[in-house]
Amino acid sequence: MKPKVIVYHRIPREIKAEIEEKCETVYFEHLNSPQDPHFLQELKEAHGIMGTKLKVNRELLDRAPLLKVVSTISVGYDNLDIPELTKRKIMATHTPDVLNETTADAIFGLLLATARRISELDLYVKKGQWNQMIDEDLFGVDVHHKVLGIIGMGRIGSAIAKRAHLGFDMKILYHNRSRNFEAEQKYGARFCSLDELLAESDFVCLMVPLTPETENLMGENEFKKMKKSAIFINGSRGKTVNEKDLVAALQNGTILAAGLDVYQQEPIDPENPLLRLNNVVTLPHIGSATFETRFKMAKLAAENLVKGVTGERPPNLINPEVWETG
Ligand code: GLV
Ligand code: GLV
């Protein structure tokens, strides 16, 4: 009998076919709630599940007695309770690397758009307000030759550093749990304390994964340590930032502007004050969202899923100890 899997995300037809070859597959293109009775019914018999965003916690796992693999179609996995999965000998997998360059493009684009006020000016032109503006109303700040501080110099952080160094002659500071010698050698990045990075950078780009250590990493004190002329970019997770403090910093002129791909609550509440600030550029958590990269991510997640439920080692295990002691 084929193992049974649930896919709770829209994926390309050809990847569906790859999964179906080896597994009995149930799809939920839009899983609105993990309480969906049909989903819970299928979960009872599922050996593997694959998708994004769903909170995989004890409560959900209690309803999935046969589960062997949880395959998230993302690099971040703060939505998965890894200790609980490991305790239950369930493999967890993610999709690193295939999205590095694409996400770096998006985050660097956000940085440029914020510095040069691209979305604000786009709106002026489209609304026919060009002639009502004096030149200075259109000015932004330079990106080239400035100091970029990257908090979280992982694979995506390095790809951002590469763009900044090779394309924009930026000086790069970084703060990370451990040194990244490759980024130091290739992109001239200099390791420093968080305080020094905040004080010296013209652009502060947050790229850390969300963990108990990074939750609320940026708050009032941190924004105060930044230059008044500095721009903050968040490409990590919304909960790494105290959003109220960010709003205050942007309103009070503690910092100049922010470019955000992620929020405390997603989708963002339309009443969120961030959405009423001209010095904020927003994206809807879309860093990896190109046709090419989302295809690669779905393909890799499917490989992780299928291998996991058919007794092969998935290539991107988050908790390899489950396999090794398996
Ligand atoms: C996106 O945020 C991801 O984790 O892949
Ligand atoms: C972080 O930057 C990662 O690529 O995991």
Side-chain angles (χ1 to χ4, degrees), residues 133-134 191 274:
M133 296 171 67
I134 43 174
F191 183 77
L274 282 171

Side-chain angles (χ1 to χ4, degrees), residues 52 72-79 94-95 99 103 156 235-237 261-262 266 285-288 294 297:
T52 59
T72 186
I73 317 171
S74 59
V75 63
Y77 47 82
D78 46 278
N79 53 325
H94 65 147
T95 61
L99 48 60
T103 306
I156 300 171
S236 66
R237 286 292 182 268
D261 187 36
V262 291
E266 294 179 9
H285 196 154
I286 207 89
S288 64
R294 282 294 170 85
M297 289 166 73

Side-chain angles (χ1 to χ4, degrees), residues 75-77 94 96-97 99-100 152-158 207-209:
V75 63
Y77 47 82
H94 65 147
D97 298 324
L99 48 60
N100 295 345
M153 190 64 105
R155 291 159 289 208
I156 300 171
S158 299
M207 295 306 299
V208 291

